[in-house]
Amino acid sequence: MKSDLSEEMLNAFVDQELSRPEMDEVLQALKDDPQVAAEACALRHTKLLVRHAYRLDEVRAVPRPTGWRAWAGRICAMLCFLALGGLLGWQVEKARAPASSVQFTLAAPAYGAAPRVVSLTNVKPQAHDVLLHLDSDDPRKMAAALDYAQQILDQARRQGVRARIEIVANSYGLNLLRADKSPLIGRIDALTRRHANLTFVACGQSVARFQHEGQVVRLIPQARLASSAVSEIARRLQEGWTYIQV
Amino acid sequence: MSTTMRWPWLHDHQPETLRPRLLRLACAWCGDRHLAEDLTQEALARALRTSSTLRDPRALEGWLMAILNNVWRDHLRKNKGVEDIDDWAETLVSDGPGPDASLEDQQLVNEVRAVVAALPLGQRQVLTLVDLEERTYAEVAEILAIPVGTVMSRLSRARAALKEKLLARRPAAAAPALRRVK
């Protein structure tokens, strides 16, 4: 039986870009059709060949240019190092200062990976304001975003402090905020009724991209539309919020 | 699990590891080592001038790759006198493979590079961002400012070409290479 899987789908499988149900569909096809299995194997093989043909150590091994170009390069690299350090708030001492850090206890998510947590050291910290960034439609991650929000808001309420949580969704994470696609509308309703300080922000660029692909994007009423997730995240970080990538 | 707010990337995010990766991308895109050096340098300089608002290292890397893409396109525009790059992103073909090296399996490496270099520019960029830089489709779409659907179709065509030119021609020789690179 010849499967009707598209080449794009098989490539996405090889690149681990599929959602769980899609993955199951491909795995079934691999089992059913040896031709599909061979095809997936060949695609994976090309990926390995490309990686092998452009090895990083080879780029490093070639000697740097000499003369003024070498100096220009070194100065540029040094400036870049400093600038990136500055941009990233590269101040270990400050980062360790307890005043700039939030201490909430978050339960490990179902998928096991610890969340990435970021805040700036060169701005006045808003210790109880947390932005949760969701860019995946993995149901476990969607649920984890709401779990984190709930945990932080409940803890803050018990501690008698006023916390603000903003869940920013872009890319496929946008599904959480789509009226036609969100699997968690009921929970979002219940959470926003319980906590006035929980807000939802949709990435305008992601919305535009889905619309460009011909989709009709309807957002849940709780969602505010920002120009882009990146600009929203940057703005909140500057305001002293803590960023957590779900 | 308790989470304290720290700097998780402090040790793994160093600009000196970023530069060779940008350089490798530029080499794969333009197929010329010296030009790739210039493009990388210009991209880093331009990054300095505009200074990012991004704090997440992965997003920051993506931003630098997007700048590299702009620098490369500016270079093409200047040197070819063509207005609409997007049209020939599908058709432009480079002259040859990248720099020399002395590896045991240099022949296979050269063949792969020759096939990659012969891909249309748009496909080459998507392929290298996905395979070398391990970017997600969504990230590649953002870096190259194209829809995700285009990323997927270009990648699919690029891999089909690699498959046809590399695997069909030398199935026996390709097999041990697969074992070795794993």
Side-chain angles (χ1 to χ4, degrees):
Chain A
M1 180 198 80
K2 177 69 187 155
S3 164
D4 55 3
L5 280 181
S6 68
E7 278 286 313
E8 274 93 336
M9 186 100 160
L10 264 188
N11 275 292
F13 171 76
V14 169
D15 295 316
Q16 298 182 321
E17 287 270 351
L18 294 181
S19 64
R20 192 68 236 183
E22 289 170 324
M23 183 92 95
D24 289 341
E25 190 189 333
V26 175
L27 286 172
Q28 191 57 48
L30 293 181
K31 241 187 271 171
D32 292 343
D33 188 345
Q35 218 178 326
V36 174
E39 174 69 18
C41 201
L43 291 175
R44 167 95 185 121
H45 193 167
T46 66
K47 195 176 167 84
L48 293 173
L49 284 175
V50 171
R51 277 194 206 169
H52 185 59
Y54 295 90
R55 291 197 326 212
L56 207 51
D57 51 358
E58 211 183 312
V59 182
R60 281 209 189 93
V62 177
R64 296 284 183 85
T66 52
W68 70 270
R69 286 175 60 106
W71 279 105
R74 258 176 252 163
I75 289 165
C76 186
M78 193 185 291
L79 282 174
C80 200
F81 186 84
L82 291 173
L84 286 175
L87 286 173
L88 300 175
W90 205 310
Q91 298 168 42
V92 183
E93 293 311 313
K94 276 196 188 171
R96 289 205 175 124
S100 67
S101 63
V102 182
Q103 301 285 345
F104 290 118
T105 306
L106 301 177
Y111 48 89
R116 284 203 288 177
V117 181
V118 172
S119 59
L120 299 186
T121 55
N122 49 0
V123 296
K124 187 170 168 282
Q126 300 294 323
H128 304 106
D129 294 339
V130 179
L131 182 150
L132 297 164
H133 177 206
L134 175 73
D135 62 0
S136 153
D137 63 352
D138 181 338
R140 295 170 308 176
K141 290 201 172 181
M142 288 196 196
L146 299 184
D147 290 345
Y148 289 149
Q150 187 168 5
Q151 287 168 34
I152 293 170
L153 288 166
D154 284 346
Q155 283 172 44
R157 187 168 282 183
R158 278 200 297 278
Q159 293 166 17
V161 293
R162 186 174 170 276
R164 283 185 295 175
I165 304 289
E166 188 167 279
I167 297 182
V168 177
N170 73 325
S171 187
Y172 293 105
L174 198 66
N175 281 0
L176 180 70
L177 307 181
R178 286 179 67 166
D180 51 333
K181 295 208 167 181
S182 177
L184 296 169
I185 287 180
R187 234 191 117 191
I188 290 174
D189 266 344
L191 270 176
T192 44
R193 264 203 296 275
R194 186 172 149 78
H195 298 284
N197 293 339
L198 172 62
T199 51
F200 294 88
V201 175
C203 169
Q205 282 189 359
S206 300
V207 171
R209 192 182 303 151
F210 285 125
Q211 283 170 340
H212 184 74
E213 288 173 5
Q215 300 187 33
V216 179
V217 178
R218 278 196 304 120
L219 298 176
I220 58 172
Q222 290 93 338
R224 170 170 70 81
L225 191 67
S227 60
S228 78
V230 169
S231 63
E232 181 69 16
I233 291 165
R235 187 169 69 88
R236 289 307 194 190
L237 278 167
Q238 300 284 3
E239 288 172 3
W241 287 49
T242 298
Y243 165 98
I244 298 181
Q245 185 173 42
V246 180
Chain B
M1 177 204 69
S2 172
T3 304
T4 45
M5 311 297 167
R6 288 282 157 78
W7 300 101
W9 63 69
L10 209 56
H11 297 293
D12 57 25
H13 184 72
Q14 307 282 335
E16 56 263 42
T17 63
L18 238 153
R19 189 182 175 279
R21 284 173 43 210
L22 287 174
L23 183 57
R24 174 176 66 169
L25 259 190
C27 275
W29 289 356
C30 74
D32 179 287
R33 171 72 193 213
H34 295 293
L35 177 57
E37 292 264 4
D38 288 345
L39 294 174
T40 306
Q41 211 71 285
E42 171 60 22
L44 287 171
R46 208 179 277 188
L48 265 182
R49 285 200 296 275
T50 40
S51 89
S52 166
T53 51
L54 297 170
R55 263 72 185 175
D56 172 53
R58 196 169 164 87
L60 196 75
E61 286 170 21
W63 174 70
L64 279 167
M65 288 169 199
I67 293 177
L68 183 67
N69 179 42
N70 290 337
V71 169
W72 168 226
R73 280 168 172 251
D74 287 351
H75 170 85
L76 290 175
R77 212 170 264 134
K78 229 177 351 196
N79 290 279
K80 301 272 176 173
V82 174
E83 287 301 312
D84 196 356
I85 308 278
D86 293 326
D87 281 349
W88 46 280
E90 293 290 340
T91 53
L92 188 77
V93 166
S94 128
D95 290 330
D100 295 330
S102 53
L103 292 166
E104 203 185 305
D105 50 0
Q106 193 57 43
Q107 201 186 342
L108 177 63
V109 167
N110 284 345
E111 271 191 56
V112 176
R113 287 188 189 177
V115 176
V116 171
L119 290 173
L121 171 63
Q123 292 180 26
R124 207 182 321 149
Q125 287 188 302
V126 169
L127 182 82
T128 47
L129 283 168
V130 171
D131 284 355
L132 300 182
E133 284 304 326
E134 297 179 315
R135 294 277 135 181
T136 66
Y137 293 359
E139 287 171 332
V140 175
E142 199 144 295
I143 289 168
L144 299 177
I146 54 178
V148 172
T150 309
V151 170
M152 293 177 75
S153 60
R154 282 184 187 172
L155 185 66
S156 178
R157 274 177 282 152
R159 291 231 177 100
L162 286 173
K163 209 171 51 156
E164 196 225 338
K165 289 179 183 150
L166 294 170
L167 303 187
R169 202 166 46 181
R170 40 181 303 164
L178 179 62
R179 275 201 295 279
R180 192 161 57 244
V181 294
K182 259 181 184 168

